[in-house]
Amino acid sequence: MRYMLVLADDEAGALWPGDPGFEELVAEHGAFRRKLEQEGILLGAGRLRPTSTAKTVRVRDGKVLRTDGPFAETKEQLGGFYLIECRDLEHALELAAELPTARKGSVEVRALVG
């Protein structure tokens, strides 16, 4: 079954190149990615740019509305994802708990339809 691990965290505390701890965080995600690749279950992954670069599109009454920023104000923002193929939900939950994001943000685990 395919699962999306949706990583959310407060982007005000996000680390970027040059920040203390950035290299360690990248190494942790790299190790996690390699583990998924070695198990043959990684289908895709990516880090998103900050919400300040986001655009939201809505269609209301036939009119296209475009706004800057994310679709909702929240404490945590969507920061990245892993798309994986797991034997079951329990396996996906175990993997989600290994992500560094789970320690200070959250990892939502969602099964794909079909």
Side-chain angles (χ1 to χ4, degrees):
M1 182 157 225
R2 292 175 298 158
Y3 293 91
M4 175 80 69
L5 306 182
V6 182
L7 285 56
D9 204 349
D10 181 355
E11 72 180 19
L15 299 178
W16 295 95
D19 290 341
F22 177 78
E23 295 301 325
E24 293 84 357
L25 182 63
V26 169
E28 283 187 82
H29 277 281
F32 183 76
R33 183 182 185 117
R34 283 188 299 282
K35 174 183 176 166
L36 299 178
E37 289 170 341
Q38 289 169 351
E39 290 184 25
I41 63 173
L42 180 65
L43 302 175
R47 181 178 185 187
L48 300 175
R49 295 194 180 274
T51 56
S52 61
T53 67
K55 306 291 182 201
T56 299
V57 176
R58 293 177 178 86
V59 178
R60 301 293 187 269
D61 298 320
K63 294 182 181 178
V64 177
L65 308 170
R66 291 191 260 171
T67 57
D68 292 337
F71 70 92
E73 294 291 324
T74 62
K75 181 180 175 192
E76 294 180 337
Q77 294 79 35
L78 178 61
F81 70 95
Y82 287 90
L83 182 60
I84 57 177
E85 179 86 33
C86 291
R87 62 183 175 269
D88 55 26
L89 175 60
E90 187 59 34
H91 185 207
L93 292 170
E94 289 169 4
L95 290 168
E98 294 180 24
L99 281 161
T101 307
R103 292 194 301 264
K104 60 185 184 88
S106 66
V107 179
E108 182 179 340
V109 178
R110 305 244 334 242
L112 276 69
V113 175

